[in-house]
Amino acid sequence: MIEIFIYALTFLTFLCLYRVGMGPTPADRAVAIDILGILVVGFCVMITILTGKDFYLNVALAWGLFSFIGSIAIAKYMEGKGFDE
Amino acid sequence: MSEFIGIVIIGIGILFDLSGVIGLIRLPDVYNRLQAATKCVTMGTCMILFGFFIYTGFTPAGIKALLTLVFILISSPTAAHAIARASYKYGIKLTDKSVCDLYSKEEIVRCSAVMNRNVTTILPDATLEEAISLIVEKNITGLPVVDRAGTLLGIITEKDIIDYKRVGNIKVAKVRDVMTQNVLTFAPNTPLEEVLKAFSEGKFRRVPIVEDGKVVGIISRKDIMRYLKGEKE
């Protein structure tokens, strides 16, 4: 069962990467990368169940954190502002 | 048993993820994609994390999954909102089929942008003759009456003076006796729309702009004309 979930999530991440690749606007890519980050958190949880090693949860937490910071940074950049505004 | 329930919740979460990603692929513009994907994928991933918590119970790993859940729940909508606003400011257009675009409404013009800040005022115990000469000299039609602290007490207009001329002696009258009390005033951050409404429906010719009881500006019909002229250019 867990393997099926992992295949499904892998498929979903590839769909996200399709949107990252096809665009057409920079905002579409930013959105897709943001969603990809959240999907990867779920993916790490599945790997934790599959392998029984819970350090993958740390990976999930860190990935979620950096995905959030990255999205905010991209948004600020698109607005044309500095990071301290 | 709890493992089975956990797996079921994770399965439902993956279905949410699936619908979100389908929205990301199929919907026509970035805002649609954003709202579909963010909501469904956040929900889906939170269900995966919660399912994992049910699956493992109160272990360190389970608690960590709950923490991640809370974090995702807060950060994901924030990031989505930031991206949506940024794409709007970046100039990305809505799809042709969009029904309305409330965010693009023109910025509201406030009274403070239109008002004349050089207000000629008069003290209540000045004589009426002083008021008349001020009105003639400055080529205005009315004067706000303020005390020495700047607090608005009333307004004296050409009409007040003309009305008084028919019944009283202008030479001895004080501004205090002639002025109109209970003046309609507006705050500096009032939308100009309300002032236009007052001018159009009432017989006002000018409204003082008052902040904390003090007169900070005045809007006359002429000021509105000046503003409209500037807007046209």
Side-chain angles (χ1 to χ4, degrees), chain B:
Chain B
M1 186 60 194
S2 68
E3 287 192 3
F4 176 73
I5 296 172
I7 294 286
V8 168
I9 292 178
I10 289 174
I12 297 171
I14 285 177
L15 286 180
F16 269 98
D17 276 3
L18 179 68
S19 58
V21 174
I22 289 173
L24 184 67
I25 299 294
R26 296 277 301 155
L27 285 171
D29 72 356
V30 61
Y31 308 102
N32 285 313
R33 286 171 193 152
L34 186 71
Q35 68 95 10
T38 306
K39 276 186 272 189
C40 294
V41 173
T42 305
M43 178 72 182
T45 302
C46 285
M47 283 184 83
I48 292 175
L49 288 161
F50 189 69
F52 178 78
F53 171 71
I54 302 283
Y55 185 87
T56 57
F58 278 97
T59 58
I63 302 292
K64 209 180 284 175
L66 274 189
L67 282 177
T68 316
L69 188 158
V70 171
F71 176 73
I72 296 250
L73 215 52
I74 296 167
S75 72
S76 169
T78 314
H81 185 257
I83 292 176
R85 206 181 58 158
S87 16
Y88 201 96
K89 297 222 170 126
Y90 189 74
I92 290 163
K93 294 277 181 292
L94 277 70
T95 172
D96 301 337
K97 289 176 189 163
S98 304
V99 177
C100 68
D101 179 8
L102 290 174
Y103 198 48
S104 79
K105 281 253 170 86
E106 284 171 27
E107 223 171 293
I108 301 168
V109 181
R110 307 280 176 186
C111 287
S112 52
V114 181
M115 70 189 189
N116 183 358
R117 287 169 200 275
N118 292 323
V119 193
T120 311
T121 58
I122 195 159
L123 291 169
D125 41 10
T127 63
L128 202 53
E129 285 187 319
E130 284 172 337
I132 292 169
S133 54
L134 259 181
I135 284 176
V136 173
E137 268 172 36
K138 304 264 179 180
N139 193 22
I140 49 181
T141 59
L143 293 164
V145 183
V146 299
D147 64 15
R148 285 181 201 285
T151 311
L152 183 73
L153 300 174
I155 196 161
I156 179 160
T157 67
E158 288 175 338
K159 185 171 188 309
D160 293 330
I161 296 169
I162 290 168
D163 289 348
Y164 190 77
K165 167 73 181 158
R166 299 176 62 204
V167 295
N169 185 354
I170 285 185
K171 294 230 159 35
V172 295
K174 299 271 187 196
V175 168
R176 187 191 299 280
D177 312 320
V178 184
M179 70 183 188
T180 313
Q181 281 156 335
N182 299 329
V183 190
L184 178 76
T185 63
F186 290 97
N189 62 356
T190 318
L192 187 65
E193 203 67 27
E194 289 184 31
V195 179
L196 295 181
K197 188 163 169 259
F199 278 156
S200 145
E201 290 177 359
K203 49 186 169 38
F204 310 97
R205 296 194 162 266
R206 69 210 67 67
V207 285
I209 307 300
V210 173
E211 190 170 33
D212 301 328
K214 305 257 189 297
V215 179
V216 292
I218 192 162
I219 296 184
S220 64
R221 295 188 175 184
K222 198 63 87 186
D223 292 319
I224 305 266
M225 291 304 119
R226 282 191 201 103
Y227 164 72
L228 292 176
K229 179 166 177 280
E231 193 180 50
K232 208 176 160 190
E233 285 163 1

